[in-house]
Each structure stands twice: as C-alpha cells, then as structure tokens.
Amino acid sequence: MLFGKKPKALDPVDLAQLPQHIAIIMDGNGRWARRRHLPRSGGHAAGAETFRNIATYTKEIGLHYLTVYAFSTENWKRPKDEVDAIMRLLRDYLDEALRDMEKNQIHMAFWGDLSPLDPELRALCERVEFTSRKYDKCNVHICLNYGGRDELLHAARGFAADCAAGKREPGELTEALFGSYLYTAGVPDPDLIIRPSGEQRLSNFLLWQAAYAEFYFTDVCWPDFKKEHLLQAIHAYQLRQRRFGGT
Ligand code: IPE
Ligand code: IPE
Ligand code: MG
C-alpha cells in the first residue's frame, strides 16, 4: 500500500477520472511545529500555506469540489492564544482571497456554525462567500467551527421547525430531504477523504456524507503535504473498486 510512503512523482493519475469531491482533514500542524522547536502557531501558519498551494493546484487539475476541515467544534478546547492565531491566519487568508478573487476564480463557502466567531471575521466569511458565488467550476468549502454531530442536530432542528410551522410533514422525511437541511446541501458527497499526520479517524468530520467515501491516510503532516501527495492519494483512489453495497 501507499500509506505514509514518500510520493513517487511518476505514479500515473488519470486526470480525466478525477474524483468529483475530495475532502481533507488538515491535521498535524502542531506536531510539525514541535519537531522544529517552533510554537504551534508556526505550524498553523505553515499549514495555511499548504492550503493555499493545494487549493490552487486542485483548481489547476480541474477538481470540482474541495472541502477542508479547518477548525472543529472541539478545537475551542485549545489554549486561547492558539485559537486566536488560527483565527488570525484565517482572516489574513480571507483578505487575500477577496483581493485575488478575480485571478483565482474559486467559489468559497463555509460550513459550520459561524455564530461564535468574532463578528468581523464572520462578516468577512460572508463577504467572501457572497462575492465568489459566481465562480462555479472550482468550489472550496472551509469547515469552520464544524462538527458532524452539530451539523446533524442543526439539520434536525431545521426540519422540526419547518414541521412546526406547517411547511413539512414528519412522514415526508427522506435521505434526500434531510440532506437539504445539511450545510452540504446541493454538494455531492466526498468521494475521497484524506487525512495526513498518521491519525486514522474522522474526528467528527462529515459523518453523514462519509457513508461511502474512500479513505486515504498518510504519515506526512499537513504542512509537508505537497501536490505529489495529493496525486498519490488520487492514484490510490483510482485503484479502488467502489461498490456502494452492490456486487
Ligand atoms: C490541525 O493540526 C489544525 C487544527 C486542528 C486546527 P493540529 O493542530 O491538530 O496538529 P496536531 O494534531 O496537534 O499535530
Ligand atoms: C481534526 O483534527 C480537526 C481539524 C483538522 C480541523 P484534531 O487534531 O482536532 O483531531 P483529534 O483531536 O486528533 O481527533
Ligand atoms: Mg490534530
């Protein structure tokens, strides 16, 4: 298997058969920093740079949907200075995304409960999402204060409220209708979920949507993740046989 191996640049990837949707759990920033005797915030800064490169590269190869896990509902447990550093990096990235929007032509959306964020940062997220909505070839979703369980509760509450308001009937709930209450409404489920850093768990990421996703794990920490690693993951994906419960 290819797990954790140094990428071989020449592994053939069929760019005509890309997965439609790749999701990445951007993990390992802290360990990357610790190994270099840097503060954890240095790891997050390096991770933000990786994200810039990978988002640009996915657009270049023609991927339609890229989703990244940037901050979970559980990540508030971290020291305040670390959380502040992550939010600052996000703000810098969004300022830059606004500035370079015409050049990049990437639609960006945010999945998660943005209400606890600093109002300025929240407004910036909304502005980026709104102004980039016209670019539909490459869609990047940033999961921010996102939790799969929280998303399911949010959807259940939304449906219950619609029932209480007489807009829906409990008996009409189907998987498709429930999906329309999720943050991911209208976006196909991820085909491939990549987690760097050696951890092999979902950590509350896309619990509903991951039902038939393929997984790819690598020991490389996110700041060291290069386009070759992405190609390696896509290559591994292209060797899989997906059955979706069939034969
Ligand atoms: C991922 O890297 C970034 C966030 C969760 C915000 P970590 O900060 O979790 O890095 P490790 O897992 O401690 O190495
Ligand atoms: C998952 O990573 C969340 C993000 C990458 C944003 P964590 O580092 O928070 O997950 P655990 O704690 O190792 O499960
Ligand atoms: Mg981690």
Side-chain angles (χ1 to χ4, degrees):
M1 268 324 270
L2 305 159
F3 301 156
K5 296 267 159 61
K6 199 171 184 304
K8 286 174 280 166
L10 294 178
D11 270 334
V13 164
D14 184 354
L15 291 179
Q17 305 282 341
L18 285 179
Q20 205 182 3
H21 184 176
I22 296 180
I24 306 181
I25 300 172
M26 303 190 291
D27 197 18
N29 296 350
R31 278 161 286 167
W32 182 93
R34 195 181 58 219
R35 285 172 203 151
R36 284 160 183 76
H37 308 287
L38 293 170
R40 290 179 62 87
S41 58
H44 295 308
E49 198 49 34
T50 298
F51 167 62
R52 282 180 181 86
N53 295 335
I54 293 295
T56 307
Y57 185 61
T58 54
K59 177 164 180 274
E60 270 169 38
I61 60 175
L63 187 84
H64 286 300
Y65 299 100
L66 173 71
T67 297
V68 293
Y69 202 5
F71 193 87
S72 77
T73 45
E74 288 72 50
N75 287 150
W76 297 105
K77 292 176 189 164
R78 297 182 178 208
K80 187 178 178 304
D81 62 339
E82 180 174 347
V83 172
D84 288 348
I86 294 171
M87 297 300 165
R88 249 194 327 273
L89 285 164
L90 182 69
R91 199 186 51 219
D92 291 348
Y93 174 74
L94 295 176
D95 281 337
E96 192 184 296
L98 264 185
R99 198 187 59 217
D100 298 339
M101 192 160 288
E102 262 189 61
K103 185 179 96 203
N104 294 339
Q105 309 224 331
I106 293 177
H107 170 232
M108 289 176 58
F110 298 87
W111 289 344
D113 175 11
L114 302 190
S115 60
L117 297 188
D118 171 76
E120 260 183 51
L121 181 60
R122 191 178 164 175
L124 189 55
C125 292
E126 285 162 3
R127 207 165 141 218
V128 167
E129 187 160 336
F130 183 78
T131 48
S132 68
R133 73 198 183 289
K134 57 181 181 256
Y135 305 117
D136 57 359
K137 286 208 178 57
C138 178
N139 301 277
V140 173
H141 315 110
I142 299 180
C143 294
L144 189 53
N145 190 27
Y146 173 89
R149 289 184 171 183
D150 187 57
E151 178 182 34
L152 292 170
L153 284 182
H154 175 264
R157 279 193 212 104
F159 179 71
D162 281 354
C163 288
K167 293 186 211 153
R168 293 283 185 196
E169 289 287 333
E172 66 174 308
L173 191 61
T174 59
E175 288 187 10
L177 181 58
F178 191 67
S180 72
Y181 285 87
L182 297 170
Y183 295 128
T184 54
V187 174
D189 288 344
D191 300 296
L192 171 63
I193 296 181
I194 299 172
R195 184 162 190 163
S197 88
E199 307 301 353
Q200 302 193 4
R201 54 180 172 261
L202 272 179
S203 300
N204 208 5
F205 189 44
L206 301 177
L207 297 183
W208 173 275
Q209 300 85 345
Y212 273 99
E214 297 293 327
F215 291 95
Y216 181 86
F217 301 108
T218 168
D219 289 339
V220 167
C221 284
W222 177 244
D224 283 334
F225 193 93
K226 302 278 183 297
K227 63 184 184 182
E228 289 79 11
H229 298 100
L230 183 72
L231 288 175
Q232 200 78 71
I234 296 172
H235 177 68
Y237 168 85
Q238 289 180 336
L239 296 176
R240 309 267 177 93
Q241 192 194 6
R242 302 181 78 189
R243 286 190 285 278
F244 298 97
T247 53

